[in-house]
Amino acid sequence: MKVYFILCLMVTHAVSSSLQEEIKTQGSFHATINGADFKVREDQLYRGLLINRAASMDGRIPARTVVNAVFSGPTIQNEEAKLTSDNIQFEIGYEPNKTGAPSSYLVAIQYQHNNYYMVKEQSKVSITDFTWETDRKHFNLSADFDCTMRSFGYPSDGIKDIVLKGDMENIKITVPSWLAEKN
């Protein structure tokens, strides 16, 4: 009976430690657009993926590996009865274990039926935490951001710039096997 009790205690401890680790690494995302909360879809997974981007045809932008994460808002129906959802997309240059300002980053938004790009001179992203998981197939990324966003049709569309501010915590980034083998 004593062995059974000790075995139950060990299993309970292992399960609770596992659950605590899962809670600790669960991600979160918070953003405001012009001071109003950006509502994230209820089924949003706080994840991202490491991907390769090809070089530009003109050679000005070299091939690069980036962290790509998209955060979607609830699906809504527009005036033409089409379903759309607002979203915020991040592409951050992959620099293993580095915190602070990344060497490259892009932010784009689809918001209230308009598309916006980041004004580089008026925007900043800062990596606040970069932690590898033990399997080296994933890492958790945390970052703060403060960006001025401009519509794709500027200035002829008359849409004013918007301000995107917020943070992401413990976003689980998947490292594809082709890259995991290189590390």
Side-chain angles (χ1 to χ4, degrees), residues 130-142:
F130 186 113
T131 307
W132 282 101
E133 291 189 2
T134 54
D135 64 5
R136 298 287 289 186
K137 295 179 183 176
H138 303 90
F139 59 87
N140 292 310
L141 186 75
S142 299

Side-chain angles (χ1 to χ4, degrees), residues 3-17:
V3 172
Y4 177 73
F5 180 73
I6 291 172
L7 185 60
C8 285
L9 280 175
M10 289 172 49
V11 168
T12 303
H13 177 70
V15 169
S16 72
S17 295

Side-chain angles (χ1 to χ4, degrees), residues 4-44:
Y4 177 73
F5 180 73
I6 291 172
L7 185 60
C8 285
L9 280 175
M10 289 172 49
V11 168
T12 303
H13 177 70
V15 169
S16 72
S17 295
S18 171
L19 289 174
Q20 287 174 350
E21 184 64 27
E22 182 65 29
I23 289 169
K24 186 178 106 181
T25 59
Q26 241 179 1
S28 67
F29 179 80
H30 177 261
T32 61
I33 298 175
N34 287 343
D37 280 336
F38 176 80
K39 292 184 180 18
V40 179
R41 191 167 58 207
E42 287 185 26
D43 64 347
Q44 174 74 53

Side-chain angles (χ1 to χ4, degrees), residues 24 42 46 114 139 167 182:
K24 186 178 106 181
E42 287 185 26
Y46 298 106
N114 293 306
F139 59 87
D167 61 79
K182 292 180 183 179

Side-chain angles (χ1 to χ4, degrees), residues 29-36 88 144-147 163-167:
F29 179 80
H30 177 261
T32 61
I33 298 175
N34 287 343
I88 303 171
D144 296 329
F145 50 91
D146 184 353
C147 304
V163 176
L164 170 70
K165 290 184 181 185
D167 61 79

Side-chain angles (χ1 to χ4, degrees), residues 3-108:
V3 172
Y4 177 73
F5 180 73
I6 291 172
L7 185 60
C8 285
L9 280 175
M10 289 172 49
V11 168
T12 303
H13 177 70
V15 169
S16 72
S17 295
S18 171
L19 289 174
Q20 287 174 350
E21 184 64 27
E22 182 65 29
I23 289 169
K24 186 178 106 181
T25 59
Q26 241 179 1
S28 67
F29 179 80
H30 177 261
T32 61
I33 298 175
N34 287 343
D37 280 336
F38 176 80
K39 292 184 180 18
V40 179
R41 191 167 58 207
E42 287 185 26
D43 64 347
Q44 174 74 53
L45 295 175
Y46 298 106
R47 295 187 169 245
L49 181 64
L50 211 53
I51 59 175
N52 270 345
R53 288 284 184 216
S56 63
M57 296 288 282
D58 62 8
R60 289 189 291 171
I61 301 172
R64 63 217 178 275
T65 302
V66 297
V67 172
N68 182 282
V70 179
F71 303 95
S72 298
T75 301
I76 55 174
Q77 194 169 18
N78 66 12
E79 300 82 35
E80 295 89 39
K82 293 181 183 176
L83 295 177
T84 65
S85 68
D86 295 340
N87 66 63
I88 303 171
Q89 180 174 0
F90 293 86
E91 264 194 18
I92 301 171
Y94 173 62
E95 299 169 89
N97 306 316
K98 183 180 182 236
T99 58
S103 61
S104 66
Y105 55 90
L106 297 170
V107 181

